[in-house]
Each structure stands twice: as structure tokens, then as C-alpha cells.
Amino acid sequence: MSKTILEVVDLKKHFTHQRGIFSALQEKMRSIPAVDGVSFYLKENETVGLVGESGCGKTTIGRTILRLERPTSGKVIFDGRDITLLSTDELRGLRGRMQMIFQDLDAALNPKMRIRDILTEAIGVHHRLTDAETEKRIAELLDQVNLKKSKLTNFPHELSGGEKRRVGVARVLSVGAQFIVADEPTSALDVSIQAQVVNLLRDLQKRLGLTFLFISHDLRVVELMSHKVAVMYLGKIVEMGMSDKIARAPHHPYTHILWSSLTEKQSREVAKRAVSVQAGRWGVFDFERPAAGCRFAPRCPVYESKGRPAVCTEPATEPQLVELDGGHRVACHFPL
Amino acid sequence: MMAEPLLAIEDLRTYFYSRSKRAFIRSVDGVSLAVAKGETLGIVGESGSGKSITAMSVMGLVSAGPGVISGRIGFRSDRVERQLLEGLDTCVALRREGGRVMAVEKDDDRWAGQVEKNMTGIRGREISMIFQNPKQSLNPFETVGRQITEAIMLHTSHKIEQEAKEKAIEWLDRVKIDSPRLRFDNHPFGLSGGMCQRAMIAMALSCEPHLLIADEPTTGLDATIQSKIVDLLAELKSELGITTMLISHDIGIIGRLSDTVAVMYGGTVVESGPAKDVLSCSPEGKHPYTAALLASIPSSDAVREKGHLQAIEGDVLDTINIPAGCRFYGRCSRVTDKIREKCDKQEPDLREIASGRRVRCWLYFE
Amino acid sequence: MKSYSQQSGEIGEFSDLPFWKKANSVDLAYVTYGLLVVTLVIASYLLGAFKLLPHDPQDIDLELMMAPPLTPKHVLGTDFMGRDMLSRLVVGIQAYFLPGLLAIFIALFLGTILGVLAGYRGGKFDTVITYLTNLIDSFPRLVLILLVIAAFKPDIYVIMLVVGITNVPAVASLVKGKILFLKQKNFIEADIALGLPTGTIILKHILWHNCRSILIIQATLGMAEAILMETSLSYLGFGVQEPTPSWGNMVLAGSNYFMKGQFWPSTAPALAILFTILGFHLLGDGLNNILEGKRDK
């Protein structure tokens, strides 16, 4: 059994809206729970996929894990140390081992620096190497991400989307990261390039033993990349389990609807299996988190078909993640 | 065979002159397409393939400084018949120095006037368009309902405000917006992305156009909302029988909604034909690009087996330095020794290889 | 119909060209003129500093009062006290050069610090700095300078100190805006995630790579501003005091004779002001277009 590399315990991140200096004095702040009590763990050399619609808090989780945001409460234990308690300097040392691939292709690339300088700088952050060693390391990185050497003298704006993504990955690898949060790494790319990047990431995982937290809204890519998948809805994980179970035998109505939105045969099979689910009013609502109870209830077809049972909307009974079988966990009163 | 085309695009070339590179960016480079009455034409392609610029050229939206258009776009409905690019070429002069185009001098005012003249009574009335970014395409300072009402009063015979308003509400209801009477008074920022797109669709259709151009109508929306929008478009299509030009990079959506499909690569159409043939799984009789594109989508089987995806190596074509030969040559995996020479040197034309199916590839020509 | 297709075979690697070949010729003309002015200003400063002048600017020649231009030995003529106009014009730069640099330095230095704090740290810093800069901005500058002069003394360095400080808000807001723009592109965040020290991120990635051109442009505009401000004050009699020549007090001294047809004692410095300020502004404008790529689409 491989060891746990990252554990997230009851992580919460609330954003406060503060309007001007006077509202701060009045203590009149609106708090928006972007992440509202999330727990999960990652084992070494494993990929966990995090899916959900935009605004469900999946990116915030990734950023909070790397402490680009400070969590409101909860623990993030990386390699035995709670990173929420570390000082900035201790954290900087740890950044050599945990990294993030940003959704934005240009994120890692200072527009005024050549690719060689970008990589040289990144290598220099956590390792003291001589010029010759740096040169060798750059060649190695280029080989790993399959990028032409001639691109080193280019500026970022001269690269195509796929090449930018490769440089981004090379930069992340250059510091020697073992754990990588990949935030929508393919969504800004064309279909044909997406496949290249997915293949690249999977190759790298095999070759370098990387651990990924793979955040995406593209269900097929997540399923392909991940060993386990966690489905998020409005700041909470509603279902979690092995990726093929999540895709083919979902228990939460939301997961079910997500996958059946794929316009492929596979989802039709699922649709047949649970005929009782009629997503009739689905998507017609502007959805907001209800005041109490299950977050998904206002959009939930099961809630509707069961005649709106009170248990779904009572404040005391917000469904918690319950283990069903073989590590599959779901937060629903009426799992499918 | 083919019904009378509503819109016929012939050899459309839309170039943008880049001053810093002293060269034309050939966004659309010789596109010929026809949209028959009542059918849905799906245009699929990656970013930079020129699919959106094609749509913009049709709508007369290529006005920004250095854009130049040539070719013919004929529009013909029972109300109007017109050439949409009439007289635009007289507004542009090229200045050359040493065999190289050094500058494009464009009489912007005359160009704009000419476009206006060509598009009067067409834009909004005959052809309407929905965009990728519904929130940004709606006026943020007006209620959704008012915007639709205005469009109706401007373009249809409903000139009385109350009547137009009723019509607008009817359309909001028709695109399945919940409680349309309430939503009528919402501003765009009060609506979710999916709702805004529905409102856009309502606005586009409320003028009862002959042609609807949908440019990436689902991109940027969440997966669940996407499929709902696609459902809605499919339903409206069967209900109204409106002619549609659907542009998307998402083959799934194109496959669900289109009758005929055109695949674009590097500013040209590389393949066109009935949707079921072009998007079928077998690579037989397909342009290598189409085949590779289809193969690179994670299919359910590939996902289940956790196998490698079949990526297309290389990068999307640079539309400035277009090679002399086939545009896909550098990335093509199906080049045989017999045709290699030709692929490298000479660009194939779009030829009919079976009824209704055209391919731009030496593989299928003798 | 005309086809553009035949135009396309002729493409070179234009992105490799140096910036002056890619730049608009108008911008190049602006910058050339601006650089010429800067060179002249620096040369004049050096000439004045080392006293390499045709005449002593303080040398009163009562025989040759109000000599018109092109008088032998006095190319630009003399003023009402028979002092050589050309020498006085050249020496007049002394009044602006170092004080102007001081004003620029203060504006850039404080403005950059405040801009970085407001943009990079944000939050409370941003709020406080915004209020502060608004406060500075809301004072009429001339009134502020007159107040300071009244409280201390009409010294050009004191005036330039005030000019510098009143220019801080403009620089701060530019730097802050640039940082917010960069933050939007996420690469600052990527730098943090990479583990780069904050100093490197701010100094190298933000200021050196991405703000240097706007700072240079601000510096040229700041110089123009300083000259203009001194001139206005001198004309009002608050700037550099006679007998030390400055262009402003030269215009003032000459203006009494303007209506009598003896135009040169006021016109020469006025033209010098005009062309110098124009030069700095055009330089700033041209640099802005070339370095920041405003004109090129």
C-alpha cells in the first residue's frame, strides 16, 4: 500500500465581500462559502479527479491546498506537515515539491522573458546548479515534455497553445515537484492538442511517479486521467469513488445528471438504468444555495419525484458523505 | 439533389493585414459553402481554422481596420436576393514595396458605408446570429425583455410596443425560460450563463430570420447546461425548420444538430458532406484530419480501457506562413510514398468523391 | 473581383526585426525629435556647468542693450541689460535640469513603492493608498506650491519637491494598474506557487520586465511637467530669481518690451520652452507607442 501524500481535512474557505472602508468598520461583511467542509486524501502516484460545474469551488480547493489562498479553517497535511500552519519561508521550501499547473496558458510565462530564461529561473529557485548542469537539466526537461530545443529562444507570445502548455509543465517539473495540482490543464486547448497534453501528463506520471489532483469540468478527460473522482456541488463533495464507478454507476443524482449530459452512447446506457430520474426542471432555474438542508434539493429530480420529502430541506439533516461499498461514498438521503 | 441554397459562399477569402509582421493573416482562405433551405450546416474546426471569421464575413462584421474580404456571398430568400460582398473591393488599396505588401490602405468610412448598404434588411431581419458569449453580447444596461422587444419592433411587423412585448414573452417561454413574465424585467447580470444564451436565442429567433448563425453557442457553459441548450436548439430546429449555420469546435454538438458538416482546417474546408458520413467512426473516405480529429476525442472505449489517446502530433497551422502544399501535410499520418511529392508541393482542391461528399486530399484523387 | 491570394507568398520573419523597423514612422520621428531635444538639454546643461559659453550670462553691457538677433557676437541678441541671450538661454537649463531630475526621482520612487504596495499587497494598503493619492490629487497644485513657497522660500528645489510629490499619484496608479493587469494574467500567482522570493517577483518580474517602459515614459513626461511648472511660477515671479536666468523669468523680463517691437528677449525663451516641452511629450508619446505597442494592432 503506497503512502498518503496529501490529506485534506474539513477544509473551508469563505470569501468575504467587503465594500469600502466603512462597511469594514460596520462589520457588515457578506461571507460566501466557496469551499464548505471538504475532506479527501491522495496516495502517492495516484490521480484524484475533481469535477463540478463552474463556481462549485474546485479551483479554490486547488489553490487553498497550495496555500495561494489561506483557508478559513481545516487542515491540509502534506507529507506529514500541516501546511496551513507553516510560515512563508517554510512554505517556500515546500513549493519545490508541490506545484500547480494553471488553467491560463500564459500563467507561468512572463511575457517579456525568453523560454530559456523562464526555465533557468525556475530551476534556480530550489536547486543551486552550475551553468552546465542547468543546461543539461533544461535539455532533460525539454525531452520530458517533448518540446523542440529551438523554442528556447522564443518569447511566450511566439508559441502556440500546446507549446505554452508544455513549457508550463516543464516549469512545474523543473523544481522537482512530486505533487501537482492540475487546474483545467486542457480546457484552453484545441481538441487535437488536448489529447497530446493528456497523454503527456499520463506519461509523466508513469515515468516520474507524480501525484496529481486533476481539476476539470471535462468529464471524459477526468475519467481518463483519474483513479478516483470526487464530484463537487456548491462547495461540498457529494460523491467520491473509483472513477469507473462514478462514471458508470453513480449514486448521487447530480453525478448522474453530469455524466448523462455527455452526448455519447455510454451515457445513454446510464440513462436507461435509472429511468426514474427525470431531469425535467433541470437547468431551468437560476440556482442558489438553499438556506438549509441538501444543497442540491432545488435542482434534484429525485427530490421532486419523491414528492419533496422534508428530510431533504431540514436544516439539521444536510446529507453527509456516507460510505456505501468499497470506498464509494455519497452524500444523499436517497442514493440511486 | 440539393435544394436551392439560401446562402452560397464562393471562394471566400478574409485576410487581416498585420502591420508588425508585414503580412496577411489568412484567416479564411478560399472557402466555398452552401447552406440549403431548411438544413443545418455544421462547421467544425479548431481555433484558428477560420470558422468564426467565415460567419463574421457573412454578417458583415469584418470591419476592424486591416480586414479585407474577397469572394462572393450570395443570399437568396423569398424576400431578398443579394450579393453581400458587393463593392467592398473598391475600398481597399495595397501599397507594395519590393514585391512585398507594405501597407493596406483601406477607406474605412466607405467600407463601413458599403457594408451598411449591403447588410440593410439582412442583418437581424434575414440572418441573425448568436454568439459564444451571451452575457457580453447582451446590453448590460437594458432588461432582457426590452432588448427582445426592441428587436421585434425593429425587424418585424409588430410595431406596437404592447404587441411586441407579448411576442417577446412568448419567445422567452418558447426557449423554456421559467416564468418568462418575471424574467422579462431581468437585466443580463441577473441571469445565469445558460439563461442568457436562451434569451439570446429568443432574441435571434424572434425576428423570424431565414438563417440563424450560431457561433459556438454552448462554449463556456457548464456541461449540464450545454446539453440543455443543445436539446433546445434541436427542438427549435424540428419545430421551426429554420436554416442554421452552426459553428463549433465540439464534434458532439455538431453531430447532434447538423444535417451536413464542413470540416475546416487552416482557413479552408478540407471535407464536407452529410453529417452521418463525415462524422462516422471509420476513416474510410475521410480526410486524414477529420479522421484524426475524431480519433483524438476521448471515446467511451478509450476512457474505459484507460488507453492512450490518439493525438494529432504537431500544432495548429500558422495562418501567416501557409505552406505551398497540403495544409495538413506536416501533421498527416496517412501520407503514402506515392503521393508524398504532391502533398508537399501542391495544394489539393476540394473534389467530390461520392455523392455529396467532398474531400481535399490527394489520397482520393487519381 | 480582386483577389488577395497572390499577395501572400512574400513573407519574411518580421517578428525578428528590431523594434525600430517594426515601429510606425510617425512614432520614430517623434522619438528622434524627442531624443534630439534631450541631447540638446543635456549638452546645454554641461556647457553651462563648465562655463563653456560665448559670454558670461551675467555680463552687463550697457553699450549693447536690446541688440537684435544676428548682431555680431550676439547671435540671439541681448536683453534690456545688454546680457547675451544665447548664453542666458543655455544657462537657463541649469534652473531645470537637476531640480527636474529630483522631481522625476521623487515621483517615480514614491509612486512605484505606493503602486506596488497597492497593487501587489492590495487590501487595506490599497484602500489607504487610494485615499492618500486622492488627497494629493485633490489639491490644486499651483496653490499648494504657492503655500509651500510662502511657508519656506522660493527655492527651485522646494518647488520641484512639491511637483514630484504631486506627480506621485499618477505614477502610483499606473504601476498599480499594470500590476492588476499582470495579476489577471495569473503569472504573478504562478511565480508565488513556484516559490520565487517576493523580492525577485516584484523587482525582476513586475518592475524590470513589465513596468520599465511605463516608468521611462513617465520620466519624460515628468521632465516636461517640471519645466512647465517652473516656467509658470517664474513668470509669476515665484520661481528662480533674477539675476540667475531661467526661461520663465527671461520671458517675464522680456515681455515688457514685446509690445514695443523688441520681441526677441521674450520670444527666444518662449520658443525654447515650447520646443523642449513638445520634445519631451513627443518622446513620451512615441516611446509609449513603440514600447507598449499601442498603435500596432
Side-chain angles (χ1 to χ4, degrees):
Chain A
M1 197 74 182
S2 54
K3 74 172 195 202
T4 303
I5 189 164
L6 179 92
E7 194 175 354
V8 176
V9 186
D10 200 27
L11 187 72
K12 287 186 184 166
K13 173 70 195 176
H14 295 204
F15 288 107
T16 46
H17 266 223
Q18 188 183 326
R19 294 208 182 92
I21 208 164
F22 296 109
S23 61
L25 293 174
Q26 289 169 349
E27 292 285 317
K28 214 178 181 181
M29 292 191 236
R30 248 179 81 203
S31 166
I32 297 165
V35 179
D36 207 8
V38 163
S39 306
F40 64 92
Y41 61 89
L42 268 102
K43 294 218 183 283
E44 216 163 25
N45 203 5
E46 177 185 71
T47 302
V48 169
L50 208 52
V51 294
E53 291 168 297
S54 56
C56 73
K58 53 190 196 300
T59 297
T60 310
I61 288 187
R63 293 163 49 85
T64 315
I65 286 175
L66 293 183
R67 229 183 81 182
L68 295 169
E69 309 269 5
R70 274 184 175 276
T72 309
S73 71
K75 282 193 250 183
V76 177
I77 300 164
F78 179 73
D79 207 16
R81 290 207 281 173
D82 185 352
I83 69 143
T84 59
L85 304 175
L86 294 182
S87 73
T88 323
D89 281 336
E90 288 173 302
L91 198 64
R92 192 169 293 140
L94 213 59
R95 297 228 188 266
R97 301 179 48 209
M98 48 201 294
Q99 277 294 322
M100 181 153 181
I101 299 174
F102 290 85
Q103 172 173 14
D104 182 357
L105 293 173
D106 291 310
L109 311 172
N110 186 333
K112 304 282 167 76
M113 280 168 83
R114 291 179 193 278
I115 304 303
R116 180 190 297 281
D117 300 331
I118 290 172
L119 291 179
T120 309
E121 181 183 55
I123 291 169
V125 178
H126 295 283
H127 307 276
R128 297 234 164 275
L129 299 181
T130 62
D131 286 354
E133 282 169 335
T134 307
E135 204 53 36
K136 214 178 120 200
R137 180 85 177 107
I138 287 179
E140 188 182 298
L141 286 170
L142 289 187
D143 181 52
Q144 276 169 356
V145 299
N146 199 5
L147 194 71
K148 281 196 212 93
K149 202 164 183 186
S150 60
K151 300 286 176 197
L152 280 177
T153 52
N154 287 63
F155 284 103
H157 67 88
E158 294 165 333
L159 301 186
S160 69
E163 285 164 350
K164 280 183 191 166
R165 177 52 80 220
R166 281 164 202 276
V167 174
V169 174
R171 182 165 132 131
V172 161
L173 294 177
S174 69
V175 298
Q178 284 302 299
F179 167 62
I180 294 170
V181 175
D183 184 12
E184 305 266 11
T186 60
S187 67
L189 299 167
D190 279 314
V191 188
S192 68
I193 311 295
Q194 274 186 18
Q196 287 176 14
V197 171
V198 168
N199 286 343
L200 173 72
L201 291 179
R202 292 178 60 190
D203 278 349
L204 287 173
Q205 180 164 44
K206 269 186 215 134
R207 276 164 67 184
L208 305 172
L210 302 176
T211 311
F212 280 112
L213 178 65
F214 194 88
I215 300 168
S216 180
H217 69 271
D218 188 329
L219 303 168
R220 278 176 289 216
V221 172
V222 166
E223 196 188 339
L224 184 69
M225 278 293 296
S226 317
H227 304 100
K228 281 191 228 150
V229 173
V231 182
M232 282 191 72
Y233 185 76
L234 290 184
K236 278 213 149 177
I237 293 181
V238 294
E239 188 168 8
M240 207 173 157
M242 302 309 283
S243 66
D244 51 341
K245 284 268 176 54
I246 291 276
R248 273 168 218 97
H251 291 290
H252 197 283
Y254 179 62
T255 317
H256 169 81
I257 291 172
L258 266 186
W259 253 271
S260 58
S261 69
L262 289 177
T263 46
E264 245 199 312
K265 280 180 248 146
Q266 161 202 342
S267 53
R268 299 274 151 76
E269 292 160 23
V270 183
K272 260 181 249 154
R273 202 177 64 81
V275 217
S276 61
V277 181
Q278 296 280 323
R281 297 174 36 190
W282 168 260
V284 179
F285 280 99
D286 248 346
F287 45 89
E288 250 173 39
R289 207 205 138 183
C294 175
R295 282 149 210 255
F296 187 57
R299 296 171 80 185
C300 183
V302 175
Y303 172 67
E304 207 63 22
S305 66
K306 298 255 183 212
R308 309 192 177 195
V311 66
C312 289
T313 48
E314 270 166 24
T317 55
E318 178 164 5
Q320 300 300 316
L321 275 176
V322 181
E323 185 149 344
L324 290 179
D325 51 356
H328 197 106
R329 296 193 290 165
V330 64
C332 182
H333 292 299
F334 305 101
L336 301 173
Chain B
M1 183 58 223
M2 193 148 159
E4 179 79 356
L6 185 67
L7 183 79
I9 303 174
E10 279 167 55
D11 198 33
L12 176 73
R13 289 169 200 272
T14 306
Y15 294 178
F16 294 91
Y17 185 72
S18 156
R19 249 215 4 244
S20 65
K21 300 202 163 126
R22 297 267 155 83
F24 278 116
I25 299 163
R26 300 196 272 167
S27 299
V28 179
D29 199 16
V31 163
S32 300
L33 287 170
V35 193
K37 263 184 197 126
E39 78 164 2
T40 298
L41 170 73
I43 302 182
V44 66
E46 295 176 286
S47 65
S49 63
K51 54 192 193 307
S52 283
I53 305 290
T54 305
M56 283 168 67
S57 306
V58 173
M59 285 300 272
L61 296 176
V62 180
S63 57
V68 292
I69 306 182
S70 76
R72 295 158 73 80
I73 299 177
F75 181 80
R76 187 175 188 181
S77 75
D78 42 15
R79 287 188 290 227
V80 232
E81 184 174 346
R82 200 174 302 169
Q83 286 296 326
L84 301 184
L85 296 181
E86 195 100 61
L88 286 183
D89 55 335
T90 60
C91 308
V92 182
L94 304 178
R95 193 160 63 81
R96 295 152 155 276
E97 232 168 74
R100 180 174 274 148
V101 183
M102 294 308 275
V104 171
E105 272 151 23
K106 187 164 147 190
D107 187 343
D108 277 318
D109 295 335
R110 260 186 64 213
W111 176 281
Q114 189 63 45
V115 167
E116 209 47 51
K117 207 171 129 211
N118 289 348
M119 296 313 292
T120 341
I122 300 269
R123 216 189 262 158
R125 180 79 189 93
E126 295 289 321
I127 310 177
S128 53
M129 188 161 175
I130 51 180
F131 296 90
Q132 174 176 349
N133 228 322
K135 271 212 168 139
Q136 283 164 25
S137 316
L138 289 166
N139 180 353
F141 301 111
E142 277 271 23
T143 63
V144 172
R146 262 222 63 75
Q147 293 184 47
I148 301 177
T149 311
E150 256 169 29
I152 292 176
M153 284 168 67
L154 191 64
H155 292 300
T156 68
S157 54
H158 303 281
K159 297 292 180 198
I160 305 156
E161 182 157 1
Q162 200 50 43
E163 201 181 313
K165 193 174 164 181
E166 282 309 312
K167 201 85 191 146
I169 291 172
E170 193 187 314
W171 273 107
L172 284 176
D173 190 41
R174 208 151 176 188
V175 295
K176 303 212 166 54
I177 286 183
D178 220 25
S179 43
R181 257 168 223 286
L182 285 174
R183 293 298 171 206
F184 187 88
D185 291 323
N186 273 81
H187 282 83
F189 59 80
L191 301 178
S192 66
M195 293 264 270
C196 274
Q197 192 57 287
R198 283 166 197 272
M200 273 296 290
I201 294 173
M203 189 149 101
L205 294 180
S206 63
C207 309
E208 291 157 25
H210 280 105
L211 178 66
L212 175 72
I213 300 179
D215 186 4
E216 303 270 9
T218 61
T219 312
L221 300 174
D222 283 318
T224 50
I225 311 293
Q226 275 191 16
S227 73
K228 284 286 154 192
I229 295 285
V230 174
D231 286 347
L232 174 69
L233 286 173
E235 214 176 300
L236 289 171
K237 181 187 155 192
S238 64
E239 231 173 76
L240 304 168
I242 183 167
T243 316
T244 311
M245 190 160 133
L246 175 73
I247 294 162
S248 180
H249 68 279
D250 188 330
I251 294 175
I253 287 160
I254 295 280
R256 266 194 65 190
L257 292 174
S258 317
D259 306 311
T260 46
V261 172
V263 182
M264 285 189 70
Y265 184 78
T268 55
V269 176
V270 292
E271 179 170 2
S272 67
K276 60 179 192 327
D277 295 337
V278 175
L279 301 180
S280 69
C281 293
S282 79
E284 271 315 295
K286 272 209 187 74
H287 192 280
Y289 173 67
T290 318
L293 194 63
L294 288 168
S296 70
I297 299 169
S299 67
S300 49
D301 293 335
V303 169
R304 196 167 303 165
E305 288 155 22
K306 303 245 166 196
H308 247 58
L309 294 178
Q310 292 180 4
I312 309 177
E313 288 312 320
D315 253 306
V316 180
L317 190 80
D318 170 9
T319 41
I320 292 182
N321 292 305
I322 289 180
C326 173
R327 283 158 206 246
F328 192 58
Y329 174 61
R331 303 174 77 186
C332 187
S333 59
R334 285 169 67 190
V335 187
T336 59
D337 286 334
K338 203 174 118 199
I339 58 168
R340 191 175 299 274
E341 184 84 354
K342 263 185 174 172
C343 291
D344 191 22
K345 295 273 151 48
Q346 198 184 347
E347 183 169 13
D349 49 351
L350 192 63
R351 271 190 226 170
E352 190 148 6
I353 53 162
S355 80
R357 297 210 49 193
R358 291 152 178 274
V359 179
R360 192 189 280 274
C361 181
W362 290 118
L363 215 54
Y364 304 105
F365 309 155
E366 280 311 302
Chain C
M1 268 222 167
K2 185 160 52 188
S3 163
Y4 299 96
S5 56
Q6 67 267 26
Q7 317 295 354
S8 35
E10 326 135 341
I11 294 124
E13 279 294 308
F14 281 94
S15 53
D16 288 344
L17 286 178
F19 69 89
W20 59 85
K21 289 209 173 164
K22 284 193 283 188
N24 188 307
S25 51
V26 176
D27 292 332
L28 281 181
Y30 282 6
V31 171
T32 314
Y33 174 65
L35 289 176
L36 191 74
V37 166
V38 171
T39 319
L40 275 178
V41 165
I42 293 175
S44 307
Y45 172 73
L46 292 175
L47 285 177
F50 293 107
K51 305 240 176 332
L52 301 168
L53 300 166
H55 298 270
D56 185 340
Q58 315 293 13
D59 208 4
I60 300 171
D61 184 352
L62 295 175
E63 307 283 300
L64 256 179
M65 285 194 294
M66 303 306 283
L70 301 178
T71 307
K73 290 193 180 172
H74 298 286
V75 181
L76 291 180
T78 59
D79 70 356
F80 66 103
M81 290 171 87
R83 295 176 294 196
D84 181 45
M85 284 300 296
L86 180 64
S87 304
R88 286 181 72 77
L89 267 185
V90 172
V91 170
I93 283 290
Q94 302 286 331
Y96 307 116
F97 195 73
L98 290 181
L101 287 184
L102 174 79
I104 293 172
F105 177 76
I106 290 172
L108 293 191
F109 187 73
L110 292 181
T112 307
I113 291 179
L114 292 184
V116 166
L117 278 179
Y120 190 78
R121 296 292 296 273
K124 290 213 176 68
F125 282 98
D126 189 15
T127 319
V128 171
I129 289 168
T130 310
Y131 275 81
L132 198 71
T133 51
N134 283 346
L135 193 73
I136 296 176
D137 263 347
S138 59
F139 268 106
R141 175 184 288 187
L142 209 57
V143 174
L144 193 67
I145 292 173
L146 292 179
L147 278 177
V148 171
I149 290 172
F152 300 98
K153 54 177 181 170
D155 182 37
I156 184 70
Y157 283 95
V158 176
I159 294 171
M160 287 300 145
L161 196 74
V162 180
V163 170
I165 289 172
T166 47
N167 269 338
V168 165
V171 178
S173 74
L174 268 176
V175 171
K176 177 187 152 191
K178 190 81 187 180
I179 292 178
L180 291 185
F181 170 75
L182 294 175
K183 272 193 167 170
Q184 232 173 42
K185 294 186 111 187
N186 281 327
F187 87 82
I188 293 178
E189 189 147 65
D191 283 344
I192 297 173
L194 193 70
L196 279 175
T198 316
T200 313
I201 298 175
I202 292 175
L203 291 178
K204 183 176 168 193
H205 286 215
I206 295 176
L207 293 181
W208 175 243
H209 281 301
N210 289 295
C211 290
R212 61 182 175 200
S213 51
I214 56 170
L215 291 180
I216 290 173
I217 293 154
Q218 275 305 301
T220 60
L221 297 179
M223 196 68 186
E225 184 103 39
I227 294 176
L228 203 61
M229 195 43 84
E230 197 284 332
T231 313
S232 328
L233 286 169
S234 289
Y235 190 75
L236 295 174
F238 294 107
V240 175
Q241 301 296 311
E242 282 274 8
T244 316
S246 84
W247 294 351
N249 64 27
M250 284 166 78
V251 174
L252 176 65
S255 63
N256 297 332
Y257 302 90
F258 189 77
M259 284 316 204
K260 295 178 191 160
Q262 291 158 325
F263 58 90
W264 57 93
S266 55
T267 309
L271 285 178
I273 293 166
L274 176 69
F275 287 117
T276 311
I277 289 181
L278 189 67
F280 279 111
H281 272 284
L282 292 184
L283 180 65
D285 197 25
L287 281 179
N288 191 26
N289 291 332
I290 292 173
L291 298 177
E292 299 281 289
K294 289 281 153 62
R295 251 178 224 204
D296 204 51
K297 280 172 191 151

